Amino acid sequence: MSAEAPRVLMAGESALTVEFGETIDPTLNARVGALDAALAAADLAGVVEAVPTYRSLTVHYDPEVISFAGLSRRLLALAAHPGEAPAARRWRVPACYDPPFDEDTAEVAQALGLTRGQVAALHAGARYRVYMYGFAPGYLFLGGLPAALDISRRPTPRPPVPPGALLIAGGQALIASVSMPTGWRMIGRTPSVLFDPAREPMAQARIGDEIVFEPVDAARFAELSARRAGLSPAGG
């Protein structure tokens, strides 16, 4: 069966959204990535920026250069024959699940009927798809969280988490890029700097890439943190 045709939604006077569906699904996300790549390759006059999400692509444009109708037609044509999205890469991310980085692990373990060690092992043992950046610059949203770690968000936001915090909630995993309050639950932290405005590219992982976590102890975390290193490619 052929994929459902996307729909175009107006998002103000200078943006539109191409929506592929309503679920968190790798196939939908791949279609988003393919359109994002096709749009970049087309280099359309008037397009300012494209923002991929779980299941849609928002395109900001200059209405004095290209109209909503004209851009919609071009995007739907690209979506019909987008070509392939960039090949996925796999990144290895060191992750420390020891104190003081496991602030919410005990609560998560109790709520889910697990031990603290099981929470860390389940999180580290999965492979995650990079679905989108959102909420704050560089905040990395991941799919692939084991069902056993499916837990709701906190009823009230917790105090600010540090950059690199490993967060879970609502069947999703997230890596924080900046310090801020959140309703997500912190079960670890990575020393890797995943987002740096002074670096090119600012964010290394692309939509569709794969993340694997590598557990490290507190001493190794401190050593890696001092280097302020980015992501490292993972093996096969």
Short mmCIF file of all heavy atoms in Angstrom, two decimals, residues 3 5 10 23 38 70 87 150 153 156 176 216 221:
data_model
loop_
_atom_site.label_atom_id
_atom_site.label_comp_id
_atom_site.label_asym_id
_atom_site.label_seq_id
_atom_site.Cartn_x
_atom_site.Cartn_y
_atom_site.Cartn_z
N ALA A 3 2.21 5.07 0.62
CA ALA A 3 2.17 5.93 1.79
C ALA A 3 1.12 7.02 1.60
O ALA A 3 0.87 7.48 0.49
CB ALA A 3 3.54 6.54 2.02
N ALA A 5 -0.53 10.52 1.38
CA ALA A 5 0.00 11.79 0.89
C ALA A 5 0.06 12.79 2.05
O ALA A 5 -0.83 12.83 2.90
CB ALA A 5 -0.89 12.34 -0.22
N MET A 10 -0.92 25.93 6.95
CA MET A 10 -0.38 27.27 7.12
C MET A 10 0.07 27.46 8.57
O MET A 10 -0.64 27.07 9.50
CB MET A 10 -1.41 28.32 6.73
CG MET A 10 -0.89 29.75 6.78
SD MET A 10 -2.13 30.95 6.20
CE MET A 10 -2.16 30.54 4.44
N THR A 23 1.72 10.09 14.30
CA THR A 23 2.32 9.17 15.26
C THR A 23 3.84 9.28 15.25
O THR A 23 4.43 9.82 14.31
CB THR A 23 1.94 7.71 14.94
OG1 THR A 23 2.40 7.39 13.61
CG2 THR A 23 0.43 7.51 15.01
N ALA A 38 15.75 16.78 0.32
CA ALA A 38 15.38 17.19 -1.04
C ALA A 38 15.19 18.70 -1.14
O ALA A 38 15.58 19.33 -2.13
CB ALA A 38 14.09 16.48 -1.46
N GLY A 70 2.67 28.67 -4.01
CA GLY A 70 3.79 28.23 -4.83
C GLY A 70 4.72 27.30 -4.09
O GLY A 70 5.17 26.27 -4.62
N ALA A 87 22.31 8.90 4.65
CA ALA A 87 22.54 7.63 5.33
C ALA A 87 22.69 7.85 6.83
O ALA A 87 23.36 8.80 7.28
CB ALA A 87 23.80 6.97 4.77
N ASP A 150 8.69 2.93 30.24
CA ASP A 150 7.63 3.89 29.90
C ASP A 150 7.01 4.43 31.19
O ASP A 150 6.35 3.70 31.93
CB ASP A 150 6.55 3.20 29.05
CG ASP A 150 5.55 4.19 28.48
OD1 ASP A 150 5.66 5.40 28.78
OD2 ASP A 150 4.66 3.76 27.73
N ARG A 153 5.46 11.84 32.75
CA ARG A 153 6.25 12.96 33.24
C ARG A 153 5.92 13.23 34.71
O ARG A 153 4.90 12.79 35.23
CB ARG A 153 5.98 14.22 32.41
CG ARG A 153 6.37 14.08 30.96
CD ARG A 153 6.28 15.40 30.25
NE ARG A 153 6.48 15.24 28.82
CZ ARG A 153 6.68 16.25 27.97
NH1 ARG A 153 6.69 17.50 28.43
NH2 ARG A 153 6.84 16.03 26.69
N THR A 156 4.83 17.84 38.57
CA THR A 156 5.31 19.23 38.57
C THR A 156 6.77 19.22 38.11
O THR A 156 7.49 18.24 38.35
CB THR A 156 5.22 19.88 39.96
OG1 THR A 156 5.96 19.07 40.90
CG2 THR A 156 3.77 19.97 40.42
N ALA A 176 19.49 16.43 27.34
CA ALA A 176 19.39 17.88 27.54
C ALA A 176 20.65 18.57 27.03
O ALA A 176 21.76 18.05 27.15
CB ALA A 176 19.18 18.20 29.02
N VAL A 216 29.62 4.46 31.78
CA VAL A 216 30.92 4.80 32.36
C VAL A 216 30.71 5.12 33.83
O VAL A 216 29.61 5.51 34.24
CB VAL A 216 31.58 6.00 31.64
CG1 VAL A 216 31.87 5.68 30.19
CG2 VAL A 216 30.72 7.25 31.75
N PHE A 221 33.60 9.60 33.82
CA PHE A 221 32.78 10.75 33.47
C PHE A 221 33.59 12.04 33.66
O PHE A 221 33.60 12.92 32.79
CB PHE A 221 31.52 10.81 34.32
CG PHE A 221 30.67 12.01 34.08
CD1 PHE A 221 29.61 11.97 33.17
CD2 PHE A 221 30.91 13.21 34.74
CE1 PHE A 221 28.83 13.09 32.93
CE2 PHE A 221 30.14 14.34 34.50
CZ PHE A 221 29.09 14.28 33.60
#
